[in-house]
Amino acid sequence: MTRQPHDQFAKEYLQELLTSLGNVETSKDVKSEVREIDVWFVPNNSTPSDELELGLLAKMAVTSSLFEPFRNAPSEVEIRSCLLKLFTVHSDLLRQAKREKQSIPEGELPYLWILTPSCSVRMLNGFSAQLQQSLNWCDGVYFLPEFLKTAIVAINQLPISQDTLWLRVLGKGRTQKQAVEELVKLSEDTDKWNHLLEILASWRKNIEVKDNVNDEERELIMNLSPAYLKQREEWRQEGLQEGSLDGQRFMVKSLLAGRFGALDEELSKIVNSIMELSLTERTDLLLNLSNISREELLARFRN
């Protein structure tokens, strides 16, 4: 599986969680040849009520941060690429401060959090990454030497608790499956996390409607099934009434792109027509998109 489908999910997922703690940008461009930051976060000055609920993620988000989530364990080159993004951001901020005749304290420069489903001992040793349990950081959070301002989070090593739940959802295999089940159970007591379930369910649907699903994607479909099944019932009962029209339009575009690849001009033209369907018709169409060919879909709305 390429990083792209996971990137889209992880960015939307982290944005939903971190918005209560500060300003979040996804796919933020940086200068030079570095492509983009997955998630760029700047905390609020105030302490939001969600901080206690988000546990470890909130503890990581006390300072400006770059979050780089990986679906598969990153290579040495990929970790160095993340470090390059961090140092490029540092350089840009310091240059801007100099132009404005200001200074940025070392403690206010952004931190890099590399989120990986697992990390080998060889990789940790190669980057001199160490636990910091004396500072009350849990197992699985490995810090590079101090001045690099970077940590590698090995999600499969995090202790199983609600404090780590939000990060374990980004794991793989049994780690992710258990975390999704915990999130579904948590959502039964409150509507607060319903949008997260919608994000998970949409990700599963996008994978399911792809052609030539591979073994890793089949495992992911199984891991996300509890969230999907719960959300599907809400979609059926409420006819996609969750969220604003913009949210519904985004979901339509996302599911079309997941089923047919990139959203080209022809598919983009029928989005408005799909939105004009009754809620029941639109829900049935999207839930059964895997059974409809591109030609059949375009023909239906041309007519």
Side-chain angles (χ1 to χ4, degrees), residues 13-25:
Y13 174 81
L14 287 171
Q15 184 176 31
E16 173 70 16
L17 287 170
L18 292 169
T19 294
S20 64
L21 304 179
N23 181 57
V24 187
E25 292 182 58

Side-chain angles (χ1 to χ4, degrees), residues 193-256:
W193 309 115
N194 280 353
H195 192 205
L196 287 181
L197 289 182
E198 183 178 331
I199 293 171
L200 291 169
S202 295
W203 187 27
R204 181 195 186 277
K205 188 64 179 175
N206 284 340
I207 297 169
E208 187 180 41
V209 298
K210 283 180 55 180
D211 295 325
N212 302 319
V213 175
N214 61 35
D215 289 342
E216 185 179 343
E217 289 168 331
R218 290 190 188 94
E219 179 185 272
L220 182 55
I221 288 172
M222 292 297 295
N223 289 349
L224 298 175
S225 289
Y228 173 73
L229 292 174
K230 185 176 188 298
Q231 190 63 40
R232 186 177 66 176
E233 287 306 308
E234 294 186 17
W235 284 341
R236 289 189 184 280
Q237 294 170 15
E238 300 176 20
L240 294 178
Q241 291 182 34
E242 304 92 341
S244 64
L245 286 175
D246 286 342
Q248 296 176 32
R249 185 181 299 276
F250 174 82
M251 185 182 299
V252 170
K253 290 181 177 180
S254 177
L255 291 174
L256 287 176

Side-chain angles (χ1 to χ4, degrees), residues 13-18 21 41 51 53-62 65 67 113 115 137 162-167 170:
Y13 174 81
L14 287 171
Q15 184 176 31
E16 173 70 16
L17 287 170
L18 292 169
L21 304 179
F41 172 77
E51 184 172 342
E53 292 182 277
L54 295 182
L56 178 59
L57 182 60
K59 186 176 181 179
M60 294 160 63
V62 296
S65 299
F67 288 90
W113 300 96
L115 311 179
W137 288 95
Q162 188 168 329
D163 277 352
T164 65
L165 169 61
W166 316 106
L167 291 168
L170 295 174

Side-chain angles (χ1 to χ4, degrees), residues 35-49:
R35 291 184 296 177
E36 63 183 21
I37 298 166
D38 282 350
V39 178
W40 166 251
F41 172 77
V42 178
N44 291 324
N45 293 326
S46 59
T47 302
S49 58

